[in-house]
């Protein structure tokens, strides 16, 4: 089966600009995660969708970050305006689980964002 | 804040040796998962152990879980240079929707 697709792979923007990332999960996967991974750290969960509903966005900086999952499939993550500290790799992952405990998560290659 | 904390932060061994990484967590869990990340790439799932399991094997990997101590260990036997990567534990912290929280990771270097 095809894996999780993310685009773009790399993005360089100036601070205060806006940027958007796109994710296409594995077909049939109900759960979609967006993680932020700063260099040298573990991934930090930003937002989790089950189907097209948000189940956790407790660590999403809502003043500048927004995300949506269209028709329970593709998802976009937007940052507006970007800050220097947003420089990180943004990882999208999906899993089959529609309710209850998590199952194996499949990750995309990530988008490396550099804010200058 | 991160749920899992890995130990050690970095581990350097020779090919053929065993590598052991530990993960501690703070709250009750549904399950615990281990992932590998090669430099500059996405994470790859290695193994999932449920809270009612104590040990699980997959090829050269052995995972143990001690819920009384809130800790897990990942053992890689007969390591290879290709095992060089960062290893993360991820805990499903007992919510109803499978929230996966990652630790800071262990950087493993296997020298040929």
């Amino acid at each position: 089966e095809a894996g999780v697709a993310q685009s773009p792979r790399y993005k360089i923007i100036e601070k205060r600009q806006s940027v958007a990332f796109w994710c296409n999960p594995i077909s049939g996967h109900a759960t979609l995660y967006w993680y932020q991974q700063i260099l040298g750290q573990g991934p930090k969960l930003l937002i989790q969708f089950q189907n097209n509903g948000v189940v956790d966005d407790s660590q999403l900086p809502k003043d500048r970050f927004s995300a949506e999952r269209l028709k329970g499939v593709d998802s976009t993550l937007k940052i507006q305006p970007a800050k220097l500290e947003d420089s990180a790799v943004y990882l999208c992952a999906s899993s089959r689980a529609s309710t209850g405990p998590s199952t194996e998560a499949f990750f995309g290659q990530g988008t490396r964002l550099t804010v200058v | 804040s991160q749920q899992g904390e890995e130990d050690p932060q970095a581990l350097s061994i020779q090919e053929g040796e065993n590598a052991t990484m530990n993960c501690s967590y703070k709250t009750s869990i549904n399950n615990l998962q281990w992932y590998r990340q090669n430099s500059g790439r996405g994470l790859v799932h290695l193994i999932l152990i449920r809270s009612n399991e104590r040990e699980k094997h997959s090829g050269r990997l052995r995972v143990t879980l001690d819920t009384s101590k809130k800790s897990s260990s990942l053992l890689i036997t007969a390591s290879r240079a290709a095992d060089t990567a960062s290893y993360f534990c991820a805990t499903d912290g007992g919510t109803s929707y499978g929230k996966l929280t990652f630790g800071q990771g262990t950087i493993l270097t296997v020298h040929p």
Side-chain angles (χ1 to χ4, degrees):
Chain A
E1 60 185 352
V4 176
Q6 288 189 248
S7 68
R9 282 297 313 275
Y10 306 92
K11 191 75 177 179
I12 302 174
I13 62 171
E14 295 183 350
K15 59 183 178 184
R16 294 187 288 274
Q17 285 188 325
S18 62
V19 65
F21 313 127
W22 173 81
C23 174
N24 181 229
I26 293 173
S27 178
H29 279 194
T31 296
L32 186 147
Y33 306 89
W34 281 103
Y35 286 90
Q36 178 194 59
Q37 186 175 24
I38 293 172
L39 186 65
Q41 298 183 16
K44 170 188 164 185
L45 180 66
L46 292 176
I47 189 166
Q48 180 177 343
F49 295 92
Q50 275 188 344
N51 299 303
N52 60 348
V54 175
V55 293
D56 193 304
D57 63 357
S58 56
Q59 296 192 92
L60 186 74
K62 298 180 185 66
D63 58 333
R64 298 184 302 106
F65 286 63
S66 64
E68 61 178 358
R69 188 174 185 192
L70 306 173
K71 299 180 181 178
V73 183
D74 291 8
S75 178
T76 56
L77 176 70
K78 297 179 181 177
I79 308 175
Q80 182 178 14
K83 293 185 175 181
L84 296 177
E85 59 260 36
D86 298 331
S87 294
V89 175
Y90 291 84
L91 295 163
C92 178
S94 69
S95 73
R96 292 185 189 280
S98 58
T99 59
S102 61
T103 57
E104 174 185 358
F106 295 81
F107 281 78
Q109 295 280 49
T111 296
R112 183 177 299 274
L113 173 68
T114 302
V115 182
V116 298
Chain B
S1 62
Q2 302 289 358
Q3 161 79 312
E5 295 293 335
E6 283 94 336
D7 169 59
Q9 290 187 324
L11 182 60
S12 181
I13 60 174
Q14 295 295 127
E15 223 172 18
E17 294 180 339
N18 295 341
T20 300
M21 289 159 268
N22 303 297
C23 170
S24 60
Y25 56 92
K26 297 175 183 174
T27 62
S28 62
I29 60 171
N30 289 322
N31 63 58
L32 186 146
Q33 304 181 34
W34 286 91
Y35 287 79
R36 182 187 74 226
Q37 185 177 38
N38 291 90
S39 180
R41 308 193 71 174
L43 284 82
V44 174
H45 182 266
L46 297 175
I47 199 163
L48 181 154
I49 187 165
R50 293 183 174 78
S51 60
N52 61 353
E53 296 176 311
R54 291 297 166 257
E55 187 171 313
K56 206 161 184 180
H57 297 254
S58 177
R60 294 183 297 112
L61 306 180
R62 172 178 168 250
V63 169
T64 61
L65 179 65
D66 187 335
T67 52
S68 67
K69 294 182 179 178
K70 292 188 170 57
S71 68
S72 173
S73 68
L74 171 67
L75 168 67
I76 304 174
T77 60
S79 63
R80 306 166 182 168
D83 295 328
T84 295
S86 293
Y87 291 81
F88 296 91
C89 68
T91 51
D92 178 338
T95 63
S96 62
Y97 52 83
K99 177 177 179 177
L100 270 184
T101 305
F102 283 81
Q104 299 288 0
T106 293
I107 301 171
L108 174 65
T109 304
V110 182
H111 299 282

